[in-house]
Each structure stands twice: as structure tokens, then as C-alpha cells.
Amino acid sequence: MDNLEKKKFPIGEFKEKNTQCDIELDSHIKVIKNFPEKLKKLIEDFSDQQLDTPYREGGWTVRQLVNHLADSHANSFIRFKLALTENNPTIKPYDEARWAELQDSVDMSVKPAIRMLKGIHQRWYHLLKTLTNKQFERTFRHPEKEIDYNLRYYLALYAWHCNHHFAHIENLKLEKGW
């Protein structure tokens, strides 16, 4: 793996592991529970200049990453709720790259995004802890990919998503000696 690929995918690309295993499922749920506080601690002392530093050449800034996480996880939480309340609903995709270019992602404080993540993840964690194995098998349809995702798989993807973007910021912090 070359340096650019390592910077793009510091923990590797997402590969579905055994999402049927309750231990693996519990591990993913714990990531959802702990992520907002872990992220907050990582960036709490960042200056505006540090927040406006891209994690790699041609990549998003830390500020954009944090705002992307709030946007993405809000969408994901809603997708979970749709799958739990409707029969294989078709979700609404969004252009995350274009969202990251909007002013609320580019030049706004990250504090509202951190608050959003905290609230979303508290609710998401509570919901996840109440689901049965049968409920984790519920699905939604992604119209662009033409795939039905079950909630076990999607939870594993979002646990990876947390760790993936956390690693972007953590690696930048180490690289810059912050």
C-alpha cells in the first residue's frame, strides 16, 4: 500500500467481518457509544489553524471531517429507524463530498457537530441495545448501489466509519507533532 492509500485508508478499507457473532456486534455497539467523547478528546485543543488542516493532500480538513461525521451519522441513524419501521425502505442517498463543501462544514465551529454526534450517538446506542437479533436482520435499500443492507452489516460499517475518520485525525496529529 502506498503512502496516499495509507492516508486515505489508515485502518484499511471496510471489510465485513462476522457480523453474526454477538461479541462482534457488542464491539460495534461500544464504538457507537464511545465515539463522540473519544473524538472530542482528540480535537478539543485544536486551534482553528489545526482544524483547517487537511488530513492528507487533496483531502478534507479536520473541520470538514468532523462536520461530515455529524452529517453522515445523522443520516445513518435515520436509516436505522427507517429500516426498523418500514419494510425494506429505499433510503435517500446524498452527495457527501458536496455537503462537505457547504459553509457549515467549511468555516463553522466544530462544537455544534460534536454536540450533534453526542446526541445522535446517545440515542443510537440506546436503540441498538434494545434490538433483537431479528431486528438486526431488517434491511433498507440503497438505490444507487442497488443493494439491500441489513442492520448488522450497516452497524459494522459505521463502527468502521468512526474508526476510519478518527484515524485520519489521529495520524495527522501524530504527523504534525500536535
Side-chain angles (χ1 to χ4, degrees), residues 71-109:
D71 293 341
S72 178
H73 292 205
N75 274 285
S76 183
F77 179 61
I78 289 167
R79 290 171 181 180
F80 261 80
K81 293 187 85 152
L82 287 168
L84 290 166
T85 59
E86 299 177 21
N87 186 26
N88 197 37
T90 299
I91 56 96
K92 171 81 171 85
Y94 69 102
D95 187 336
E96 64 183 34
R98 291 189 66 197
W99 281 38
E101 296 300 323
L102 295 173
Q103 290 309 301
D104 67 316
S105 293
V106 172
D107 62 13
M108 188 173 167
S109 167

Side-chain angles (χ1 to χ4, degrees), residues 16-146:
E16 182 179 14
K17 294 181 183 172
N18 180 5
T19 57
Q20 303 303 317
C21 170
D22 285 342
I23 294 170
E24 194 72 28
L25 187 66
D26 285 344
S27 172
H28 298 322
I29 292 171
K30 284 179 185 162
V31 170
I32 297 301
K33 177 184 180 188
N34 297 324
F35 181 68
E37 189 60 30
K38 185 177 167 184
L39 178 65
K40 181 182 175 191
K41 284 181 181 173
L42 179 66
I43 67 165
E44 66 189 350
D45 295 327
F46 277 26
S47 67
D48 279 335
Q49 183 179 0
Q50 290 167 319
L51 289 170
D52 292 330
T53 303
Y55 73 93
R56 66 170 172 82
E57 189 175 324
W60 289 337
T61 65
V62 174
R63 185 182 311 276
Q64 286 174 299
L65 279 172
V66 173
N67 284 298
H68 160 72
L69 286 160
D71 293 341
S72 178
H73 292 205
N75 274 285
S76 183
F77 179 61
I78 289 167
R79 290 171 181 180
F80 261 80
K81 293 187 85 152
L82 287 168
L84 290 166
T85 59
E86 299 177 21
N87 186 26
N88 197 37
T90 299
I91 56 96
K92 171 81 171 85
Y94 69 102
D95 187 336
E96 64 183 34
R98 291 189 66 197
W99 281 38
E101 296 300 323
L102 295 173
Q103 290 309 301
D104 67 316
S105 293
V106 172
D107 62 13
M108 188 173 167
S109 167
V110 295
K111 288 179 182 177
I114 293 291
R115 287 194 303 266
M116 282 178 64
L117 282 165
K118 183 177 179 185
I120 290 163
H121 279 245
Q122 283 176 337
R123 292 189 65 202
W124 200 358
Y125 170 74
H126 183 80
L127 178 65
L128 292 168
K129 291 301 285 179
T130 67
L131 297 184
T132 64
N133 283 327
K134 186 172 175 110
Q135 286 174 308
F136 272 110
E137 297 308 316
R138 295 196 54 94
T139 60
F140 64 82
R141 178 111 181 128
H142 195 295
E144 292 175 345
K145 298 179 182 177
E146 298 183 352

Side-chain angles (χ1 to χ4, degrees), residues 160-177:
W160 172 86
H161 191 255
C162 291
N163 293 328
H164 168 70
H165 286 307
F166 185 88
H168 283 146
I169 299 167
E170 185 177 50
N171 289 348
L172 175 65
K173 187 175 182 176
L174 290 170
E175 179 184 307
K176 298 288 188 182

